Amino acid sequence: MANKVLVETSARHIHLTEDAVKALYGEGAELIVKKMLSQPGQFATANDKITLVGPKGTLAVSVLGPTRKANQVELSYTDARVLGLKNVPVRESGDVENTPGLKMVGPVGEIEIDAGAIIAKRHIHMTPADAEAFGIEDKQIVKVKIESERTTIFDDVVCRVHPNFALAMHIDTDECNAAGAFGEVYGEIIL
């Protein structure tokens, strides 16, 4: 499909450091693969969910693996409101500097992180070959049209190019619901 990309909904989740895994699940704990995700090497874990505690509420969230260098909590705006977190910025994954922190409670322990909560910027993962085929460069901003009962054009979509990526666009649950992007959905890239 020319200029079409699979659109996947990324529900709230967290990425943990090795130290956070030990603190939340216990000494010697490791992230256990439940199922592999569309991005190579990424997986949903079979580990118990972690409870996020904010100023006004709590949410149970899944953990994705493998571990990372920094803890990261990916939320939708609705999730942030439930937790009572204010000023959660829209950021690309990995950019957690000067973001809100919160408490995480696991089956064995709990930790308080000073930063890490973001609203993930909508993005498209693609390989260099995909980027060449679409005529797109790394970090280029595009629009994506999703045709559904609530046809929507998403603006400000960042293209992330890396040899280890698989072609897919990621949006959060708020964006999915607004666009009616349920089931197997494809979007048209508009340059």
Side-chain angles (χ1 to χ4, degrees):
M1 290 185 250
N3 282 5
K4 297 277 185 171
V5 59
L6 178 66
V7 178
E8 298 176 322
T9 302
S10 182
R12 63 180 171 254
H13 62 273
I14 58 177
H15 300 277
L16 299 172
T17 64
E18 288 183 24
D19 287 342
V21 170
K22 290 175 189 173
L24 296 166
Y25 293 107
E27 194 64 40
E30 294 182 8
L31 296 180
I32 302 163
V33 177
K34 178 179 180 182
K35 74 172 189 175
M36 298 306 293
L37 301 176
S38 66
Q39 293 308 306
Q42 302 295 306
F43 58 92
T45 68
N47 300 70
D48 292 340
K49 290 188 175 191
I50 299 300
T51 300
L52 301 178
V53 181
K56 291 187 177 178
T58 63
L59 284 172
V61 296
S62 298
V63 178
L64 299 188
T67 56
R68 292 200 177 176
K69 293 178 183 177
N71 293 305
Q72 179 171 293
V73 179
E74 294 187 35
L75 304 168
S76 69
Y77 278 117
T78 300
D79 298 330
R81 289 185 64 172
V82 167
L83 290 167
L85 296 177
K86 296 182 180 179
N87 303 317
V88 180
V90 175
R91 297 273 183 88
E92 284 190 55
S93 182
D95 183 4
V96 297
E97 189 174 328
N98 298 317
T99 59
L102 45 71
K103 182 191 285 187
M104 296 183 194
V105 179
V108 171
E110 61 185 53
I111 59 172
E112 186 93 27
I113 59 171
D114 295 330
I118 65 168
I119 310 295
K121 183 176 180 73
R122 51 186 163 249
H123 57 279
I124 302 172
H125 293 278
M126 54 178 61
T127 65
D130 295 325
E132 185 177 344
F134 285 114
I136 289 173
E137 295 179 10
D138 187 39
K139 304 295 185 187
Q140 183 173 339
I141 303 297
V142 298
K143 296 179 183 181
V144 177
K145 181 179 182 179
I146 296 175
E147 292 194 26
S148 66
E149 288 186 26
R150 301 183 78 184
T151 295
T152 303
I153 296 177
F154 286 110
D155 197 356
D156 198 29
V157 180
V158 65
C159 296
R160 298 175 58 197
V161 180
H162 193 278
N164 295 339
F165 287 161
L167 184 61
M169 176 178 175
H170 288 166
I171 58 177
D172 69 29
T173 52
D174 286 347
E175 294 167 320
C176 168
N177 290 333
F182 310 119
E184 188 173 313
V185 176
Y186 288 85
E188 177 186 356
I189 297 175
I190 303 169
L191 301 176

